[in-house]
């Protein structure tokens, strides 16, 4: 048993280190390379306050904000996806599928179109929208052995209703609002505000440690609510608290970058495969960050057309998910 636990910890440590180094490499490529290259010494001079014409503007107003916003949003979506998938014991249980991301989108878009809000008030509206969706799923889904399946079906129904609400809000907006909203709804890292990056950083700095503490009984909850309760885990309270944390970080990320498609859905299963079939919130968060930063690099510098990052994650997400679910080698993990 001790040897088995050592192998499990070693495998997770290797996966975390690999994902962390991959993320650092992707961040360096996103900031230093591309249409306008920046040397490493110049980068450190810029971030420490030295004014370098053109390079300073490119780094501080374009490259670095996009890289940081993408990484932080990927961390949020990846962690939230892992929480929902483990908690509901279903790889399809992500904020995208359950309607939590769309709840944030509807709240943010409604506050912008109907009330003219932006910045922090819009983020609060996104949070309210996500919380309403999560509360409906939790209340209607109920308890019992089939609760997780009912929650997913309820989430699909709520998602359909929210899509109609978002279309109605777009019809109420003027042409400029609609154009900006469509880009944001797709998931975009074009010119993210430093205030939004700071807000997302604070939420993750508080939310991820809380999720790590609450996630300790997750392995028991995976056995089912009844079994978890019999083994001493407060399944209902733990599930509700974890859902609240996942909703908060998802809504905050969506208010900054928009609901980037498929990141939550892909990060959790990928992390589980790399970790020998065991869920890992930190590994899922790192993989989510890698997915977003890599997709942003490709849409910005490689793929012609300059479309939003959410388009690429949406295009690549479906076949990659099928590969994860059907690969015989991965299925044995």
């Amino acid at each position: 048993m001790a040897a088995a636990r050592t192998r499990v910890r070693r495998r997770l440590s290797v996966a975390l280190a690999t994902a962390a180094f991959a993320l650092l490499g992707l961040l360096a490529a996103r900031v230093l390379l591309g249409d306008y290259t920046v040397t490493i010494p110049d980068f450190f001079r810029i971030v420490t306050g030295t004014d370098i014409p053109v390079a300073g503007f490119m780094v501080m107003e374009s490259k670095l904000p996009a890289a940081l916003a993408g990484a932080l949003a990927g961390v949020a979506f990846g962690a939230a996806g892992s929480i929902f998938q483990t908690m509901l014991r279903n790889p399809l249980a992500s904020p995208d599928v359950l309607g939590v991301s769309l709840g944030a989108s509807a709240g943010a878009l409604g506050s912008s179109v109907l009330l003219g809000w932006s910045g922090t008030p819009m983020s609060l509206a996104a949070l309210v929208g996500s919380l309403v969706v999560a509360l409906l799923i939790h209340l209607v889904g109920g308890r019992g052995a089939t609760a997780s399946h009912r929650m997913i079906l309820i989430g699909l129904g709520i998602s359909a209703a929210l899509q109609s609400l978002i279309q109605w809000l777009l019809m109420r907006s003027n042409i400029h609002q609609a154009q900006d909203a469509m880009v944001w709804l797709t998931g975009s890292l074009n010119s993210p505000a430093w205030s939004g990056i700071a807000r997302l950083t604070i939420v993750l700095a508080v939310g991820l440690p809380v999720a790590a503490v609450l996630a300790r009984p997750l392995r028991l909850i995976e056995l089912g609510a009844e079994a978890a309760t019999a083994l001493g885990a407060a399944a209902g309270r733990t599930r509700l608290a974890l859902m609240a944390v996942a909703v908060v970080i998802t809504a905050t990320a969506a208010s900054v970058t928009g609901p980037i498609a498929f990141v939550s859905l892909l990060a959790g299963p990928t992390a589980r495969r790399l970790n020998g079939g065991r869920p890992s919130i930190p590994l899922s968060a790192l993989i989510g960050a890698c997915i977003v930063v890599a997709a942003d690099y490709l849409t910005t510098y490689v793929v012609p057309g300059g479309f939003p990052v959410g388009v690429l994650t949406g295009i690549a997400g479906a076949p990659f998910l099928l590969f994860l679910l059907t690969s015989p080698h991965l299925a044995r993990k």
Side-chain angles (χ1 to χ4, degrees), residues 12 15-16 19 70-86 90-96 260-293 313 316-318 320-321 324-325:
L12 177 58
L16 287 171
L72 292 170
V75 166
F77 292 134
S82 178
I83 291 172
F84 276 111
Q85 289 156 0
T86 305
N90 193 313
L92 296 178
S94 72
D96 310 82
I260 303 176
F262 273 108
V263 177
S264 295
L265 195 64
L266 290 175
T270 305
R272 187 182 286 263
R273 305 303 186 188
L274 293 176
N275 195 31
R278 298 172 181 83
S280 172
I281 295 175
L283 184 56
S284 299
L286 288 173
I287 290 174
C290 289
I291 291 173
V292 176
V293 177
T313 58
F320 187 60
L321 179 63
L324 286 175
L325 296 176

Side-chain angles (χ1 to χ4, degrees), residues 17-286:
T18 302
F21 279 116
L23 178 58
L24 288 175
L26 289 167
L27 286 171
R30 178 64 180 89
V31 175
L32 302 178
L33 304 180
D35 298 335
Y36 188 94
T37 58
V38 179
T39 64
I40 295 177
D42 281 349
F43 170 77
F44 284 107
R45 290 169 59 198
I46 290 169
V47 296
T48 53
T50 303
D51 183 18
I52 301 178
V54 182
F57 176 82
M58 291 296 296
V59 169
M60 299 305 295
E61 300 299 326
S62 177
K63 289 172 170 283
L64 189 58
L68 291 178
L72 292 170
V75 166
F77 292 134
S82 178
I83 291 172
F84 276 111
Q85 289 156 0
T86 305
M87 184 173 59
L88 299 181
R89 296 181 296 160
N90 193 313
L92 296 178
S94 72
D96 310 82
V97 176
L98 293 172
V100 174
S101 297
L102 281 176
S105 300
L109 183 60
S111 67
S112 175
V113 172
L114 302 178
L115 303 174
W117 292 358
S118 62
T120 301
M122 189 178 75
S123 298
L124 293 175
L127 176 58
V128 171
S130 292
L131 287 173
V132 169
V133 171
L135 186 61
L136 282 173
I137 292 172
H138 181 75
L139 292 177
V140 181
R143 300 179 180 180
T146 61
S148 61
H149 301 292
R150 288 200 303 271
M151 286 181 178
I152 293 173
L153 293 175
I154 293 165
L156 290 172
I158 293 174
S159 296
L162 289 173
Q163 287 280 12
S164 299
L165 175 61
I166 288 172
Q167 293 299 321
W168 177 77
L169 290 171
L170 289 174
M171 292 176 60
R172 288 287 305 271
S173 62
N174 60 49
I175 185 65
H176 300 292
Q177 284 180 318
Q179 184 176 9
D180 292 340
M182 286 302 298
V183 173
W184 181 82
L185 288 169
T186 305
S188 174
L189 296 174
N190 293 331
S191 303
W194 281 107
S195 59
I197 295 172
R199 186 168 60 249
L200 181 54
T201 302
I202 294 171
V203 169
L204 289 176
V206 176
L208 292 181
V210 173
V213 173
L214 293 173
R216 289 173 182 171
L218 270 182
R219 293 293 292 177
L220 297 178
I221 293 176
E222 280 191 294
L223 301 175
E226 292 82 1
T229 302
L231 292 171
R237 289 194 298 270
T238 301
R239 177 180 291 176
L240 184 61
L242 277 171
M243 182 180 291
V245 173
V247 165
V248 169
I249 62 177
T250 298
T252 307
S255 70
V256 175
T257 65
I260 303 176
F262 273 108
V263 177
S264 295
L265 195 64
L266 290 175
T270 305
R272 187 182 286 263
R273 305 303 186 188
L274 293 176
N275 195 31
R278 298 172 181 83
S280 172
I281 295 175
L283 184 56
S284 299
L286 288 173

